[in-house]
Amino acid sequence: MNLKLISLSLAFAASLSAQAQHVMNVNAKKLGAPVQSTMYGIFFEDINYAADGGLYAELIMNRSFEFPNAFAGWDISGKVSLKNDGPFDKNPHYVRMAPAGHGDKHTMIENQGFFGIGVKGGEEYRFSVWARVPDGGKAKLWIDLVDNATMGDDQKLGNTSVDVSGKEWKKYTTIIKPRRTFDKAHLRVWGDSKATTDVEHVSLFPVKTWKGRENGMRQDLAQALNDMHPGVFRFPGGCIVEGTDLETRYQWKNTVGPVENRPLNENRWHYTFTQRYFPNYYQSYGLGFFEFFQLCEDFGCEPLPVISCGLSCQFQNPDPTKPGVHVPVDQLDEYIQDALDLVEFANGDVNTKWGKVRADMGHPAPFNLKFLGVGNEQWDYDEKHGGFGPVFTERLKKFSDALRAKYPKLKLIGTTGPNSEGWDFDLLQPRMKELKVDLYDEHYYRNEKWFLSHGLRYDSYDRKGPRVFAGEYACHGSGKKWNHFETSLYEAAHMTGIERNADLVHMATYAPLFAHVEGWQWRPDAIWYDNLRSFKSVSYYVQQMFAMNKGTNVLSLTMNKKPVAGQPGQDGLFASSVFDKTTNEVIVKVVNTSKQAQDITLNLQGIKASKAETITLNHNGSMDDENTLDQPEKITPKQGTISLTEGKQQSVITDNVPAMTFRIYKIKK
């Protein structure tokens, strides 16, 4: 026989064998477990300047002079003094600006913002200040936005003024419109040359915030969250819930009510990593629990607040017997009452104490809170690891008993600690079942090998216990702990396993969410920004693709009667499938994590169709590439179509999935 013919025959047979090996059967005749509306969501923690200097649109740092260094963020000249008997009891400091005493001297305070103040030419910015003339009469304050480094004759980008009158504290507001765009502006407030003026809570917001709110969110960043189509929103953390010590834990009651009287709190992320140190990183609480609930309402997702269980950060406090580190179990009443009051704030009638606070803030209708997390990355100890006993679960039980007694429909979320496996995870997982929490929160920041080898993680979990919330996860590259395409693709692969196990996993949120390019402590992150621009990472688009195509019910998808989860013989393929009752679509997700293209066949049993839509996320460049501020759409999902072949009681898709590609197929039933 002709050797060339034999070679071609063998190649053809090998091709058929490869195709046969990658035949995936999707049973669209039988709907599986419901996919929860909360399946894919977002997790917010104030790390990487996510709140002040990020999502929260306030442009002035240390606006109430409450930092330990009261003039942090400010330059002062002339006769400026600090006072502490101001109109707000939780933020008592203010600045007295007296005449400089000479016609050529000036009293002025200048704020540098967060890594500068980003302003856009022609846009309006709302300046506000609480002020008075302590000796009575009138005074004028001049307000400038400036470019200190300009080579022009005038540093001013825009200016305005406010007229202050009387001895009583009042709020004054004006609009300033810069003439050009600049990302490193400063704000100057000039005192009157003839009258002493007191100023407090110096504030500057873009008029164009998310939904146009005065105490609003940065428009592009809030829009990016909305565009993720989240089903659940976990807030406010994270490790800041615990605090490095009890005094600096996140206390939700300090974050509601008038914004001028929300006390400053330390942010543990300003000092956690000395190699990424930000000594002026604090929490103003301008973005507080009311604003978080409001955002959940905007996005149409379920709020999931997390509260302190009385344990400060166990990483930073390894000896729980040290006095003052944790709240003794018999002294938890205040903490438990905070939890009960939070539910009342969210859901209570306007005639209740905390329901009235919500109503007074402009939201008489309840927020319909259904979920509450107790504790963050907490754990117990066994005899081999400290022998300190059930420090977390004994506290969790007290919270659980009190909350279930008053709010039996509320779903409680516990935790299996900071690790996805190991002694602490193995200790806590069965205890979550014993305590009958509704869900428990798993966290895993792991490398490429872990994500590729754990495609079946949830297939063997106990279905009789609590449901799972994958509350923090991301693929961290080995030696490359930053955003890049390859690790994002492996996250997509892992998420097919989350989706396949939707009967067990009810929530999943990538972490962290936000990072300022000049103020980050942790990478990778979903959304990056500077003072004016932002970009969405490839991981963001992975999350968005799943969230926008989560369907309503799982469909069985197998290859050789096995789940497609990167198993031996599956050539790096991962896949899952769902049906969407609202659109009458079968949705198949396929991730090819191999460095070679893979031929696949999708047998869509019970489907009659001739065409499918596709959404493809891949990249022809380096696997280390990522979107950037200058190239925000370098790697984005692309729409397409593919033809189907109609068979007997099924339709068939044959496709060649490129190497390192995530592809979604959407087929109308």
Side-chain angles (χ1 to χ4, degrees), residues 494-652:
H494 180 72
M495 291 175 74
T496 63
I498 288 175
E499 186 166 271
R500 183 174 61 254
N501 290 278
D503 64 315
L504 174 80
V505 185
H506 283 191
M507 302 177 181
T509 54
Y510 175 92
L513 188 58
F514 282 125
H516 194 295
V517 295
E518 295 183 57
W520 60 269
Q521 298 85 49
W522 182 288
R523 296 184 298 184
D525 306 282
I527 303 166
W528 287 81
Y529 47 88
D530 62 11
N531 286 348
L532 290 174
R533 301 173 296 167
S534 60
F535 73 87
K536 302 160 185 174
S537 70
V538 179
S539 289
Y540 171 98
Y541 286 112
V542 167
Q543 295 294 320
Q544 185 188 57
M545 288 170 71
F546 271 86
M548 294 182 69
N549 297 282
K550 66 175 177 286
T552 57
N553 294 84
V554 176
L555 296 178
S556 171
L557 183 153
T558 59
M559 184 162 64
N560 296 325
K561 298 182 179 181
K562 295 180 180 179
V564 183
Q567 299 191 68
Q570 294 183 340
D571 297 325
L573 290 169
F574 294 74
S576 61
S577 183
V578 295
F579 181 71
D580 193 324
K581 291 179 181 178
T582 61
T583 61
N584 206 35
E585 287 178 319
V586 172
I587 303 171
V588 181
K589 301 177 181 75
V590 177
V591 184
N592 179 12
T593 65
S594 77
K595 302 299 191 292
Q596 297 178 343
Q598 303 287 351
D599 290 319
I600 68 166
T601 299
L602 298 176
N603 291 330
L604 305 167
Q605 299 161 359
I607 292 290
K608 288 285 187 179
S610 60
K611 186 182 288 187
E613 296 177 6
T614 61
I615 308 169
T616 302
L617 184 65
N618 61 9
H619 182 54
N620 293 325
S622 168
M623 293 296 99
D624 290 344
D625 283 352
E626 178 55 271
N627 297 324
T628 66
L629 288 170
D630 293 326
Q631 292 183 288
E633 298 183 356
K634 183 175 184 177
I635 308 171
T636 58
K638 301 295 188 293
Q639 307 286 330
T641 59
I642 192 169
S643 297
L644 283 74
T645 303
E646 289 192 33
K648 208 171 187 180
Q649 295 185 331
Q650 69 176 20
S651 294
V652 179

Side-chain angles (χ1 to χ4, degrees), residues 33-107:
V35 179
Q36 301 298 311
S37 63
T38 56
M39 177 60 103
Y40 304 115
I42 51 180
F43 160 57
F44 181 95
E45 176 163 20
D46 190 2
I47 185 173
N48 305 320
Y49 282 83
D52 298 317
L55 178 61
Y56 185 50
E58 172 65 82
L59 297 172
I60 302 302
M61 183 175 75
N62 189 21
R63 61 189 176 186
S64 292
F65 310 99
E66 294 296 333
F67 281 29
N69 170 10
F71 290 113
W74 294 92
D75 290 325
I76 60 175
S77 66
K79 293 186 177 180
V80 178
S81 58
L82 183 71
K83 304 293 181 179
N84 65 358
D85 59 342
F88 308 112
D89 63 300
K90 295 177 181 177
N91 289 321
H93 290 98
Y94 63 96
V95 161
R96 176 158 290 174
M97 303 176 70
H102 188 282
D104 288 335
K105 294 183 179 181
H106 307 281
T107 295

Side-chain angles (χ1 to χ4, degrees), residues 51 100 181 195 209 235 244 254 277 281 337 340 343 393 426 442 454 457 465 480 514 562 570 574 652:
T181 297
T209 59
F235 60 86
T244 300
N254 287 338
Y277 197 78
Y281 189 9
Q337 190 60 51
L340 295 169
V343 183
T393 53
D426 293 339
E442 295 187 357
H454 280 69
R457 175 176 179 83
K480 296 186 289 185
F514 282 125
K562 295 180 180 179
Q570 294 183 340
F574 294 74
V652 179

